[in-house]
Amino acid sequence: MTEPTKYALVTGGSRGIGREICLKLARSGYYVLINYRSNADEAQRTLEGVRAAGGDGETLRFDVAAGEETAAAIAAWQERHKGAVIEVVVNNAGIRSDTLMMWMEPQQWHSVVDTGLGGFYNVTRPLLKDMLVKRFGRIVNIVSLSGIKGLPGQTNYSAAKGGVIAATKALAQEVAKKGVTVNAIAPGFVRTDMTADLDEAELKKQIPAGRFCEAEEVADLAMFLISDKASYITGEVISINGGLYT
């Protein structure tokens, strides 16, 4: 008898941390939905990597910051896959637009908060009911050191990630009895496209471990939280920052 297909959705799955999580999900037997907003080529590369890893999946284009667009994309997928349940959601999509608050334009505030915090709501809410009915689900939110301690020049990013941290703790309490866990991972500096503009050599001096994190290390932690071994862990924010902030 063939095992039923397990489905996982990773937002911002085309590059960086999202891509690494997609690859590891594929190796663990998940059919992976790779969400992206604009870079179809990179999303396709992730899908090729998923297939090379022995798994399968598809790309799913929508902007997590746009509620109606996100809801329509998810509903259309569910219509095409009757009876399928997306049991794992990794809310990874996020953008930076760093500047001091006194210079921050409204668009810089709203785009970052709408993507990071609004995206969590827009993606998670329409998928919750199926998880609760199935009595199983894993929600992993990729947040940031910025959301825990705040970083100057990142008031918008810190607000978005801090909001998701608070939402993680609240939602975890709402759904725990139904076998759904909700956790957050708070990386420090990770070597990805998003941090390519930072002075790595200078920043490494502040990190006790003496290096940036690799995206694969974040993905390994995500996979543990998704696994059955973490079924009693929920509402947690787990830092992975090389000792930068404890």
Side-chain angles (χ1 to χ4, degrees):
M1 186 174 175
T2 305
E3 287 280 325
T5 302
K6 301 187 297 180
Y7 296 92
L9 168 63
V10 181
T11 68
S14 65
R15 293 182 292 177
I17 292 170
R19 173 177 285 172
E20 291 297 330
I21 292 173
C22 287
L23 297 178
K24 289 187 182 294
L25 282 164
R27 295 185 191 111
S28 296
Y30 284 91
Y31 182 94
V32 187
L33 308 181
I34 304 158
N35 160 256
Y36 70 101
R37 183 182 64 176
S38 58
N39 199 328
D41 289 343
E42 289 298 324
Q44 185 61 34
R45 287 192 185 95
T46 301
L47 180 56
E48 290 167 4
V50 161
R51 289 172 175 161
D56 200 6
E58 63 188 276
T59 60
L60 207 56
R61 181 174 186 166
F62 60 87
D63 182 356
V64 300
E68 291 184 4
E69 180 183 331
T70 299
I74 290 172
W77 186 89
Q78 290 171 326
E79 183 65 27
R80 295 193 304 271
H81 299 78
K82 294 287 190 181
V85 176
I86 297 172
E87 65 180 46
V88 172
V89 180
V90 181
N91 289 299
N92 169 70
I95 60 172
R96 284 174 46 219
S97 185
D98 298 353
T99 191
L100 296 176
M101 181 75 160
M102 66 180 294
W103 305 118
M104 188 176 292
E105 297 294 331
Q107 187 273 337
Q108 291 176 286
W109 173 268
H110 290 295
S111 64
V112 172
V113 173
D114 290 352
T115 300
L117 182 55
F120 158 78
Y121 170 82
N122 293 338
V123 172
T124 306
R125 181 182 173 275
L127 299 175
L128 265 180
K129 183 178 178 181
D130 282 349
M131 291 185 193
L132 297 176
V133 169
K134 189 176 182 181
R135 302 185 70 87
F136 180 85
R138 294 286 187 266
I139 299 167
V140 178
N141 303 316
I142 307 301
V143 291
S144 172
L145 171 66
S146 299
I148 297 174
K149 73 182 293 286
L151 289 176
Q154 289 194 335
T155 305
N156 49 1
Y157 192 69
S158 296
K161 296 302 189 181
V164 174
I165 286 170
T168 296
K169 296 177 180 182
L171 181 59
Q173 296 173 66
E174 294 179 10
V175 299
K177 286 183 179 179
K178 297 290 189 179
V180 179
T181 66
V182 190
N183 291 290
I185 295 173
F189 294 108
V190 184
R191 189 179 287 110
T192 66
D193 292 347
M194 187 181 270
T195 59
D197 61 324
L198 302 179
D199 186 344
E200 182 174 346
E202 192 60 33
L203 288 168
K204 282 194 300 189
K205 298 175 184 176
Q206 304 173 28
I207 304 169
R211 65 176 179 86
F212 273 25
C213 183
E214 299 296 337
E216 186 176 4
E217 294 174 293
V218 181
D220 283 333
L221 177 53
M223 289 309 300
F224 172 70
L225 292 172
I226 290 165
S227 75
D228 290 339
K229 294 177 181 178
S231 62
Y232 202 58
I233 300 173
T234 195
E236 287 301 309
V237 183
I238 302 177
S239 292
I240 176 167
N241 58 38
L244 180 60
Y245 180 80
T246 57

